[in-house]
DNA sequence: CAAATCAATTGATATATGTCAACCCGTCGG
DNA sequence: CCGACGGGTTGACATATATCAATTGATTTG
């Protein structure tokens, strides 16, 4: 692993405070691999052998049941995924596939659990991380249960806009079909939902979104920090 | 606080392994109160001043947005709620109200965070608890996104049946209107969904459910441990 | 006991969302 | 250049779900 990557991983909240030799020992057991696009990294139901870290590229977390499939989240650099399964030594609840060419570090779950037992700074960081993840999923669930698909899209656009810097125009960072799945709708419906937001000043050209009338869209979307603010 | 309650709380996974004096010190700062039914214990958006423990009775966790409301979960004795907000010192994402006369212990969040920093056994227990909570919400989200309301009801009945001991007949432990909200549908639709399960051998009298043909219902519901098994 | 509630149910209807088929329009490879 | 392919869009239609209004039945309350 190149030194720059090593340092980038070290800087993650999860690893920043742990003892040097514990971090070194975690990294010694780690693999780093480059994967092409559309590779299934893990499959739900399998034992959680590795904690994964996305170093570059992006990874889709998805689940299936009875022939249906839904996107649960997208992981972008630099962050970990499947932490809860690793800690609990329980089967993965989600599958993961690369969306593009991606570089992934794999840390044996056994090592993570061992260091977790030995390093209380690491344990504390894991708590914070898990609490954050938990709250994110609760927000996602509120989004799903309390809003219509049009409202979910409107609020997604506002979040994405803020994430992109706040300007009136910005790019979607998803393929539309995956965005549809993340938002819990079909691609056809997403298409119609974009049209349904035109009266509120939203225009779409490919993956480029323009919000002509911020106030109108916000009046319709009614964004709420307890659902839409990822930082708290 | 009576000794029996003190010991029951001590036995919770969350507190079982921590040092004696740390537990004692946590409990010294705790309040225990009896609340009547339908009291709002906490309101979403407020700072998380206390970790709550349900000693008896039951508590509904719910959220609201734009005039709508949805039940997120029900907490039954003996367990804690609002752990993630306490740990992160962040606002509550859900409100809580008593469903019936309930006895609740309140531990100042500040104390929980202080002991969390001092007692690594406690910190580890929190990690396990949070990982468990996280995985439960992921399962709930898969349930919501991958299944129709009829399928959610069918699988809920199978879970509840198992929870009640596995016999063909058992009681719902919810008011139907709350069950509807938990399952993400309207009470009217729940009524119709029960009728929709009759062909699979489900009959309902008040809160009593009878499953005449286990195999038929399971063939329809297709329960899956990665969604329906709460223990993993 | 009678009136008042309230949860549950039912039917009629409206709305939201999914499905299917067709088409458009870029991109890629022969 | 052409054709195949895949994502995206559109329209027609089917299904799922919500809403509204009315009724029932059980429970509470004066």
């Amino acid at each position: 692993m190149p030194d720059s990557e090593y340092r980038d991983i070290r800087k993650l909240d999860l690893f920043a405070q742990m003892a040097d030799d514990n971090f070194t020992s975690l990294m010694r057991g780690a693999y780093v691999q480059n994967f092409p696009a559309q590779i299934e990294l893990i499959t739900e139901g399998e034992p959680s052998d590795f904690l994964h870290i996305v170093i570059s590229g992006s990874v889709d977390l998805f689940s299936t049941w009875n022939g249906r499939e839904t996107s649960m989240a997208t992981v972008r650099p630099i962050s970990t995924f499947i932490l809860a399964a690793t800690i609990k030594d329980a089967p993965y609840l989600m599958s993961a596939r690369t969306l593009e060419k991606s570089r992934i570090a794999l840390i044996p779950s056994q090592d993570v659990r061992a260091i977790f037992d030995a390093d209380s700074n690491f344990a504390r960081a894991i708590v914070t991380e898990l609490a954050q993840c938990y709250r994110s999923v609760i927000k996602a669930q509120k989004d799903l249960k309390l809003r219509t698909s049009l409202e979910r899209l409107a609020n997604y656009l506002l979040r994405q806009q803020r994430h992109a810097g706040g300007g009136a125009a910005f790019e979607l960072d998803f393929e539309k079909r995956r965005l549809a799945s993340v938002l819990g709708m079909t691609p056809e419906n997403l298409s119609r939902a974009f049209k349904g937001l035109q009266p509120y000043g939203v225009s779409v050209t490919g993956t480029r979104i323009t919000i002509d009338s911020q106030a109108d869209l916000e009046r319709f979307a009614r964004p709420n920090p307890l659902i839409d603010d990822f930082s708290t």
Side-chain angles (χ1 to χ4, degrees), chain A residues 1-59:
Chain A
M1 188 189 308
D3 247 25
S4 71
E5 283 177 9
Y6 186 93
R7 282 195 305 272
D8 284 345
I9 294 177
R10 179 62 152 146
K11 270 187 239 153
L12 289 176
D13 287 343
L14 195 56
F15 303 111
Q17 303 299 324
M18 67 192 301
D20 261 329
D21 47 352
N22 287 331
F23 180 70
T24 308
S25 131
L26 262 191
M27 288 302 118
R28 212 177 6 247
Y31 306 76
V32 181
Q33 279 189 285
N34 292 311
F35 295 94
Q38 304 302 335
I39 289 293
E40 189 155 327
L41 299 169
I42 64 178
T43 303
E44 57 180 27
E46 291 187 351
S48 51
D49 296 328
F50 297 96
L51 175 65
H52 291 60
I53 306 176
V54 184
I55 297 174
S56 69
S58 56
V59 170

Side-chain angles (χ1 to χ4, degrees), chain A residues 4 89 97 100 102 121 158 165 168 175 221 225:
Chain A
S4 71
D89 196 6
R97 74 163 75 89
E100 53 193 307
S102 299
N121 280 327
L158 289 173
E175 203 180 8

Side-chain angles (χ1 to χ4, degrees), chain A residues 55-161:
Chain A
I55 297 174
S56 69
S58 56
V59 170
D60 184 39
L61 300 181
F62 65 99
S63 281
T64 58
W65 178 79
N66 200 18
R68 297 166 213 165
E69 174 179 323
T70 189
S71 248
M72 303 287 287
T74 301
V75 188
R76 294 175 192 285
I78 291 189
S79 50
T80 66
F81 60 94
I82 312 291
L83 178 59
T86 290
I87 291 298
K88 290 216 66 169
D89 196 6
Y92 296 128
L93 292 180
M94 299 180 276
S95 302
R97 74 163 75 89
T98 53
L99 289 174
E100 53 193 307
K101 192 165 170 306
S102 299
R103 190 165 167 81
I104 314 277
L106 304 155
I107 308 180
S109 295
Q110 218 174 325
D111 297 356
V112 174
R113 288 191 293 269
I115 306 279
F116 162 71
D117 281 329
D119 188 317
S120 50
N121 280 327
F122 185 44
R124 268 187 275 278
I126 288 178
V127 166
T128 307
E129 182 94 354
L130 280 176
Q132 174 76 34
C133 290
Y134 171 76
R135 287 170 63 90
S136 293
V137 193
I138 291 287
K139 286 172 197 161
Q141 189 156 338
K142 290 170 67 173
D143 193 45
L144 268 175
K145 290 185 79 177
L146 289 167
R147 289 172 170 163
T148 66
S149 59
L150 201 57
E151 290 163 344
R152 288 199 294 278
L153 175 60
N155 281 290
Y156 170 81
L157 292 180
L158 289 173
R159 292 197 301 265
Q160 185 59 23
Q161 179 197 31

Side-chain angles (χ1 to χ4, degrees), chain A residues 159-228:
Chain A
R159 292 197 301 265
Q160 185 59 23
Q161 179 197 31
R162 191 154 59 123
H163 186 70
F170 58 94
E171 296 284 326
L172 291 177
D173 57 355
F174 280 128
E175 203 180 8
K176 282 185 189 164
R177 51 175 43 244
R178 186 175 351 280
L179 175 58
S181 184
V182 168
L183 293 178
M185 54 177 130
T186 57
E188 293 96 326
N189 245 318
L190 177 61
S191 239
R192 291 172 190 127
F194 274 122
K195 288 207 159 167
L197 290 180
Q198 275 176 12
Y200 304 101
V202 174
S203 45
V204 186
T205 315
T207 59
R208 185 156 195 82
I209 309 292
T210 311
I211 297 180
D212 302 313
S213 162
Q214 188 78 16
D216 279 355
L217 184 58
E218 286 183 356
R219 196 153 36 240
F220 170 73
R222 296 182 169 273
N224 180 314
L226 299 179
I227 303 180
D228 302 296

